[in-house]
Amino acid sequence: MSDGEIRNHIGERLAAARTALGLGEEDVADALNLSARVIANLESQSWDSLPAPAFTRGYIRAYAKLLEIDGEELIQGYERIVGVADTVELELPGVGTAPRAGVGELLQRQPGTVLSGAAIAGVALMLLIVWAVWPSGEPERGRVDAGRTAELVQAESARTTEPARETEVARVGEATSTEATATDEPLPELEPPEPNRDAPAPEATDSLATIEPTAESTRIYRLTPAGEDRIRLEFTADCWVEVTDASNLNLYGDLGRAGESLELIGASPFRILLGYAPGVVLAYNGEPVPLAGYTRNNVAALWLGRR
Amino acid sequence: MFKYIRGLFSRDLSIDLGTANTLIYVRDQGIVLNEPSVVAIRHHNNNKTVAAVGLDAKRMLGRTPGNITAIRPLKDGVIADFLVTEKMLKYFISKVHENSFIRPSPRVLVSVPCKSTEVERRAIRESALSAGSRDVRLIEEPMAAAIGAGLPVHEAVGTMVVDIGGGTTEIAIISLNGVVYSDTVRVGGDRFDEAIVAYVRRTQGSLIGEATAERIKIEIGAAYPQKEIHEIDVRGRNLAEGVPRAFTLNSNEILEALQEPLSMIVQAVKSALEQTPPELASDIAETGVVLTGGGALLCDVDVLLAEETGLPVIIAEDPMTCVARGGGKALELMDEAGNADLLSTD
């Protein structure tokens, strides 16, 4: 039987099946708890007098089940009658129901698909550009890194292969300036007088040179900008020397090598610390200072000058 | 801002977060996901990782080794395990957006039981938000079910919906886009399974799993005496002998097993009818009660209710997916009306 025939014969088929079973409208109405009017409307296909399609569908199914005939076929016929708009809207999402995705529906869907498609294409283009730029950037960065590491390696090797020269250079630097390079705290107040610091130093060297012409390597440091108190140290063994002022500010600190002489000039008082006292001969303003009284465990710590 | 852009690549989803199954409806596409609400968790040195979600996890139910537990994060229609629910939602949402390369951030409408508390609703909302949703709206399940069943909810006519889900049965009387009366009984498909397990243990002295019980229910379960008696062969562990044994069950036995949970549903429907205002009651008597949810697929459950209540009872089209479809339709209605509060519960 074709769709059109089913459409026009839903009521008739129900009525025929009912009479075949020998049931009256009232019996069916009782069995389904529906009013006899609803059964009559179903059989006469007065769809307008029946409630919402959702209910009518249910009635047809229940009726068909009661009469033991195929209800689904009748319901499909009914859905075509009540209008595609209603059923499609309500039923299209159904998983179990037959697919009804018509051309119109696809067209309706189209705008959204096109829009999202365009958006995705745009993003893809952006990604492509990023991709194109990315690889060229990567090796460049790598190259820079490589260059830098090469430099570092060079510097490293230079430092390790020529440590002696470097320390030599450092020492020369120290010698030419009175800045205490090895001190923990830099002395900013000592820095301004640097230009004129060299001026008295050569003079002092000259005077020293006249006093001690035999001194082979005498290093001279000015500890404070003013003052003419002199500390002279002659090393017979390596010894650590540290000089601080009255406020415990570190003025000088370095290792004296065996055979060297060191002369420190500045305003007293000074606190002097000698790491290995037996290896040092100390003189203050030209007078020898005996270290025995200040030495403990070979370390001498004493004040020089008036406090 | 980011969420907005991600939102352009996401779809509006309607989620029926059920105790037994989670369904996702996507606008213009229909139901795209229908998977059991089961998550398998692997324990490893106090660390928990998700081993499987959905169908894969359901296959593991009752068959897991010691370090894997397959759990249902929802119980009685509400969240029992917040973190696992979040993980599950995240998985389902990303599964729906499988073909997109941007992390999805969809607008989501989740259906909640009528009788759920504020705390439970908040938990569902938060869990959907942490699963990556941009905007979460909630709708009461019977309302979504009624819309999904195609009932004229906006009319000044009373309609009664009975949504028999996995964990709960929701009964609601709806008129003018609102719920006039609602009730939730914590009886659903799960309780049917439990009743079958208990019955088999009592009468056959054998233990069967929930998965087997569900199979029995689907194949030969009935709510009303049948003209033909159907049989099914099942295997279970004999409690006395301790070894697996095969035995046969028939539909009348299962009908007997299901009496208790079914009578609870019937009782709830009757008490709902008692509470209904007379005008609406007459509407319902005229048009009938609509059954939705997976429980409506139980053979002859409509006949049982029709006999007990004396009202016409009809089963909605595709009852399993009514809630999810109705949620999707509700989202569209909300957009059309430009009013987010329409239909929404808050």
Side-chain angles (χ1 to χ4, degrees):
Chain A
M1 199 180 275
S2 78
D3 282 355
E5 282 174 72
I6 293 169
R7 199 180 303 179
N8 298 326
H9 297 90
I10 295 169
E12 282 174 32
R13 285 183 65 179
L14 287 170
R18 176 174 58 79
T19 44
L21 287 170
L23 295 166
E25 278 186 19
E26 289 294 328
D27 300 326
V28 174
D30 279 352
L32 298 177
N33 294 328
L34 287 165
S35 65
R37 183 168 44 84
V38 172
I39 303 297
N41 285 336
L42 276 176
E43 290 184 358
S44 63
Q45 304 200 83
S46 323
W47 307 124
D48 293 339
S49 334
L50 286 162
F55 289 110
T56 308
R57 256 199 307 271
Y59 299 159
I60 295 173
R61 183 176 289 128
Y63 197 173
K65 192 172 152 192
L66 184 77
L67 302 174
E68 291 170 348
I69 59 172
D70 183 16
E72 291 307 313
E73 203 183 350
L74 298 178
I75 287 164
Q76 280 177 23
Y78 168 69
E79 278 169 2
R80 288 197 180 81
I81 295 165
V82 291
V84 177
D86 179 62
T87 45
V88 164
E89 210 178 6
L90 292 172
E91 305 298 332
L92 103 223
V95 153
T97 53
R100 262 186 295 267
V103 181
E105 197 190 324
L106 282 174
L107 277 172
Q108 261 186 345
R109 251 188 245 171
Q110 213 59 27
T113 322
V114 168
L115 195 79
S116 61
I120 288 167
V123 172
L125 202 73
M126 257 167 61
L127 278 174
L128 214 73
I129 291 165
V130 170
W131 227 293
V133 172
W134 205 266
S136 61
E138 193 73 87
E140 213 155 47
R141 207 203 298 167
R143 233 178 288 146
V144 169
D145 282 350
R148 195 182 298 160
T149 42
E151 266 174 49
L152 280 171
V153 167
Q154 269 187 347
E156 200 74 32
S157 63
R159 205 173 294 161
T160 46
T161 51
E162 304 174 288
R165 201 176 72 185
E166 199 176 284
T167 42
E168 197 72 18
V169 169
R171 199 163 299 154
V172 169
E174 274 169 18
T176 48
S177 79
T178 53
E179 196 180 313
T181 50
T183 54
D184 291 343
E185 299 162 36
L187 300 173
E189 65 265 37
L190 283 184
E191 267 175 353
E194 188 147 24
N196 61 2
R197 210 181 294 164
D198 283 353
E203 187 198 322
T205 345
D206 284 354
S207 63
L208 271 173
T210 51
I211 301 162
E212 300 262 351
T214 51
E216 283 166 15
S217 62
T218 301
R219 289 190 290 149
I220 300 169
Y221 276 96
R222 175 159 275 280
L223 299 173
T224 56
E228 284 300 320
D229 292 318
R230 285 162 181 265
I231 303 164
R232 189 177 168 78
L233 296 153
E234 284 174 23
F235 299 100
T236 54
D238 288 358
C239 172
W240 176 255
V241 179
E242 201 172 288
V243 180
T244 52
D245 69 358
S247 58
N248 212 18
L249 199 70
N250 217 329
L251 300 175
Y252 179 85
D254 198 5
L255 186 70
R257 301 275 176 188
E260 274 183 352
S261 296
L262 176 68
E263 195 148 340
L264 305 166
I265 305 165
S268 61
F270 302 114
R271 182 181 162 78
I272 185 160
L273 184 93
L274 301 168
Y276 184 64
V280 186
V281 175
L282 174 68
Y284 180 60
N285 286 336
E287 288 173 23
V289 179
L291 294 168
Y294 308 105
T295 308
R296 215 174 141 193
N297 291 336
N298 291 341
V299 176
L302 63 151
W303 283 93
L304 293 174
R306 194 168 41 81
R307 283 177 74 186
Chain B
M1 175 66 190
F2 239 23
K3 275 200 164 185
Y4 172 75
I5 293 172
R6 275 165 42 202
L8 290 179
F9 292 93
S10 312
R11 299 149 182 167
D12 289 352
L13 307 179
S14 154
I15 303 181
D16 174 12
L17 196 58
T19 314
N21 289 293
T22 296
L23 281 86
I24 298 186
Y25 170 92
V26 176
R27 196 191 244 185
D28 302 332
Q29 286 186 22
I31 303 283
V32 291
L33 183 135
N34 181 358
E35 289 202 31
S37 309
V38 183
V39 181
I41 306 278
R42 177 180 284 123
H43 302 266
H44 181 71
N45 297 339
N46 284 338
N47 287 332
K48 290 181 181 178
T49 49
V50 175
V53 182
L55 274 176
D56 298 337
K58 194 183 182 183
R59 274 188 220 116
M60 297 182 186
L61 262 183
R63 294 194 175 106
T64 53
N67 64 333
I68 296 177
T69 43
I71 55 169
R72 293 181 151 190
L74 290 119
K75 206 161 178 62
D76 296 335
V78 294
I79 291 180
D81 190 326
F82 185 86
L83 284 174
V84 176
T85 307
E86 185 192 316
K87 285 269 189 293
M88 188 180 78
L89 269 180
K90 201 178 259 177
Y91 171 82
F92 286 151
I93 290 176
S94 65
K95 193 168 181 187
V96 169
H97 290 86
E98 222 161 29
N99 52 357
S100 75
F101 49 82
I102 294 180
R103 204 154 65 88
S105 179
R107 226 158 43 122
V108 164
L109 183 98
V110 188
S111 50
V112 292
C114 272
K115 281 284 172 72
S116 57
T117 63
E118 273 306 311
V119 176
E120 289 163 343
R121 285 179 191 206
R122 196 180 167 82
I124 288 177
R125 179 190 291 274
E126 299 271 316
S127 141
L129 278 175
S130 5
S133 321
R134 175 162 43 112
D135 182 18
V136 180
R137 289 175 191 176
L138 304 180
I139 188 169
E140 286 174 337
E141 257 164 39
M143 179 55 97
I147 297 172
L151 304 182
V153 288
H154 56 279
E155 284 174 18
V157 175
T159 43
M160 186 170 184
V161 180
V162 178
D163 179 39
I164 307 171
T168 57
T169 293
E170 304 262 336
I171 298 153
I173 290 146
I174 294 165
S175 175
L176 287 170
N177 281 339
V179 176
V180 179
Y181 171 89
S182 74
D183 193 14
T184 302
V185 278
R186 310 226 145 164
V187 178
D190 290 350
R191 282 291 290 275
F192 294 160
D193 298 346
E194 284 167 26
I196 292 172
V197 171
Y199 179 85
V200 170
R201 190 172 52 204
R202 201 169 60 240
T203 59
Q204 306 283 336
S206 290
L207 208 57
I208 55 168
E210 274 179 38
T212 309
E214 190 179 1
R215 192 164 57 87
I216 295 169
K217 176 185 74 181
I218 291 169
E219 288 187 17
I220 63 164
Y224 197 76
Q226 302 287 296
K227 280 181 193 154
E228 288 171 40
I229 290 175
H230 302 278
E231 287 189 339
I232 188 171
D233 288 331
V234 284
R235 278 155 206 85
R237 181 162 59 86
N238 191 297
L239 285 168
E241 298 169 35
V243 289
R245 282 275 175 270
F247 47 92
T248 306
L249 294 169
N250 66 41
S251 49
N252 280 347
E253 287 175 310
I254 301 308
L255 173 67
E256 197 188 325
L258 295 178
Q259 278 312 301
E260 196 224 330
L262 282 171
S263 70
M264 286 172 81
I265 292 174
V266 169
Q267 208 49 51
V269 172
K270 279 184 179 170
S271 78
L273 288 166
E274 282 168 20
Q275 312 268 334
T276 311
E279 279 302 321
L280 297 178
S282 78
D283 291 341
I284 294 163
E286 178 85 26
T287 54
V289 177
V290 180
L291 294 183
T292 65
L297 294 172
L298 183 68
C299 188
D300 280 347
V301 69
D302 54 336
V303 178
L304 173 76
L305 273 173
E307 187 177 289
E308 291 286 338
T309 59
L311 296 176
V313 178
I314 60 172
I315 297 170
E317 284 289 300
D318 201 2
M320 280 271 272
T321 62
C322 270
V323 173
R325 279 186 291 128
K329 194 105 186 356
L331 258 179
E332 283 169 39
L333 287 174
M334 285 176 194
D335 277 355
E336 276 169 27
N339 179 5
D341 292 334
L342 180 81
L343 301 169
S344 184
T345 56
D346 50 359

Coordinates of all heavy atoms in Angstrom, one line a residue, chain B residues 9 64 149 235 305 332:
Chain B
F9 N 33.8 28.2 17.7 CA 34.1 26.9 17.2 C 33.4 25.7 17.9 O 33.7 24.6 17.7 CB 35.6 26.6 17.2 CG 36.4 27.6 16.2 CD1 36.9 28.8 16.7 CD2 36.5 27.2 14.9 CE1 37.5 29.6 15.8 CE2 37.1 28.1 14.0 CZ 37.6 29.3 14.5
T64 N 36.5 -5.7 36.7 CA 37.7 -5.0 36.8 C 38.7 -5.7 37.7 O 38.3 -6.3 38.7 CB 37.5 -3.6 37.3 OG1 36.8 -3.6 38.5 CG2 36.8 -2.8 36.3
A149 N 9.1 15.5 23.9 CA 8.0 14.6 23.5 C 7.0 15.4 22.6 O 6.1 14.8 22.0 CB 7.3 14.1 24.7
R235 N 23.3 -17.2 33.0 CA 24.3 -17.9 33.8 C 24.6 -17.0 35.0 O 24.8 -15.8 34.9 CB 25.6 -18.2 33.0 CG 25.5 -19.4 32.2 CD 26.4 -19.4 31.0 NE 25.9 -20.2 29.9 CZ 25.0 -19.7 29.0 NH1 24.6 -18.5 29.0 NH2 24.6 -20.5 28.0
L305 N 0.1 1.4 33.9 CA -0.3 2.7 34.4 C -1.7 3.1 34.0 O -2.4 3.7 34.8 CB 0.7 3.8 33.9 CG 2.0 4.0 34.8 CD1 2.9 4.9 34.1 CD2 1.6 4.5 36.2
E332 N 17.0 26.6 21.8 CA 16.5 27.4 20.7 C 15.4 28.3 21.1 O 15.4 29.5 20.7 CB 16.0 26.4 19.6 CG 17.1 25.8 18.8 CD 16.5 24.7 17.9 OE1 15.5 24.9 17.3 OE2 17.2 23.6 17.8

